[in-house]
Amino acid sequence: MDLTKNTLENTDYMIEEIKKKLRMASGAALKATALNDELYEDLRDIYSMVASKNQFSISEIEAITSELGRLRR
């Protein structure tokens, strides 16, 4: 999968992986179609950071969730 390309499939994949890694209970509110296409690079940056870590503090999860919320249309 080439995540450098801004596609709905890539966006959906990254969101699902972020939700799994953060064990987000309310992940249903976060959908690929709700994200601003122009902010794809920001989503990719968040995905890369989340994928690189094994554990997250509560404050980190809150910050990541806040950033994901900023990407919504």
Side-chain angles (χ1 to χ4, degrees):
M1 179 171 281
D2 183 5
L3 295 178
T4 62
K5 295 180 181 168
N6 184 352
T7 65
L8 186 58
E9 180 183 68
N10 286 348
T11 300
D12 189 50
Y13 171 79
M14 287 189 288
I15 290 171
E16 290 304 315
E17 290 301 309
I18 291 169
K19 289 190 310 190
K20 282 184 211 172
K21 192 90 176 210
L22 297 181
R23 296 180 183 99
M24 292 176 69
S26 61
L30 189 59
K31 296 183 180 179
T33 55
L35 295 183
N36 186 337
D37 292 341
E38 296 172 8
L39 300 175
Y40 181 80
E41 291 300 318
D42 293 345
L43 174 63
R44 211 170 90 200
D45 290 342
I46 294 168
Y47 167 77
S48 294
M49 188 273 298
V50 169
S52 71
K53 293 189 70 165
N54 291 324
Q55 290 181 249
F56 300 91
S57 68
I58 292 172
S59 60
E60 286 175 316
I61 292 172
E62 288 173 352
I64 293 165
T65 303
S66 176
E67 279 301 301
L68 290 172
R70 186 183 64 79
L71 301 180
R72 295 179 78 190
R73 294 178 198 210

